[in-house]
Amino acid sequence: GGGVLAPERVRFVVQNNRTLYLTNPDSRGACNWSSIGGTVVDLENRAVRGYRVQLIGDDVNETLETGSSPGFGPGGFEYQIGRDAVELSFTAQLFDPSGAPVSDVYRFNTSSRCDWNIAVLRFVEIPQSDS
């Protein structure tokens, strides 16, 4: 059960609140591909590993460990949706190793464009105010 966190509980946000779209390389099947990938980094831009990203969409409820797909960069993760570029709606939320949510639920879409068939989320840590 995800949801909106109290502001002081939010430790990570999707950078610029934007989904990036990349072209799947020819070496991985070019247009015959659809996936969601991303990275998770701390305030110093270092990889955050052992956190979990939960992806929920049509017939999808997947939890990926950060750092499991280093090809995406620091704290990388990836989930393959299928073999066709397809526009679908998903939510993503980041959880710490204890299972506590550390980001809000982020809504995004994948793309049916052949050259945008990897949807990328870059989670970044945000400074915490001392209160």
Side-chain angles (χ1 to χ4, degrees):
V4 176
L5 300 179
E8 66 273 11
R9 298 278 308 280
V10 174
R11 291 185 38 221
F12 291 83
V13 297
V14 172
Q15 191 172 38
N16 302 324
N17 203 36
R18 282 182 55 196
T19 308
L20 305 175
Y21 296 96
L22 301 179
T23 304
N24 187 54
D26 288 344
S27 61
R28 293 208 316 178
C31 199
N32 298 317
W33 184 267
S34 181
S35 69
I36 298 163
T39 58
V40 184
V41 296
D42 67 11
L43 291 170
E44 279 78 48
N45 213 35
R46 292 184 304 235
V48 174
R49 293 188 183 86
Y51 279 52
R52 291 187 289 283
V53 179
Q54 184 179 36
L55 297 174
I56 297 177
D58 288 338
D59 299 323
V60 173
N61 186 339
E62 287 289 327
T63 301
L64 308 170
E65 185 155 330
T66 64
S68 57
S69 291
F72 271 87
F77 60 89
E78 185 179 25
Y79 170 69
Q80 182 182 351
I81 300 163
R83 294 260 168 228
D84 298 294
V86 59
E87 183 169 328
L88 297 169
S89 296
F90 282 90
T91 62
Q93 190 170 22
L94 186 65
F95 295 84
D96 72 12
S98 75
V102 291
S103 81
D104 279 331
V105 172
Y106 178 74
R107 297 180 185 283
F108 67 102
N109 292 330
T110 58
S111 175
S112 58
R113 279 180 47 173
C114 191
D115 57 342
W116 280 18
N117 57 349
I118 303 176
V120 177
L121 307 177
R122 299 199 182 281
F123 285 94
V124 293
E125 189 176 12
I126 56 175
Q128 300 298 300
S129 58
D130 300 319
S131 55

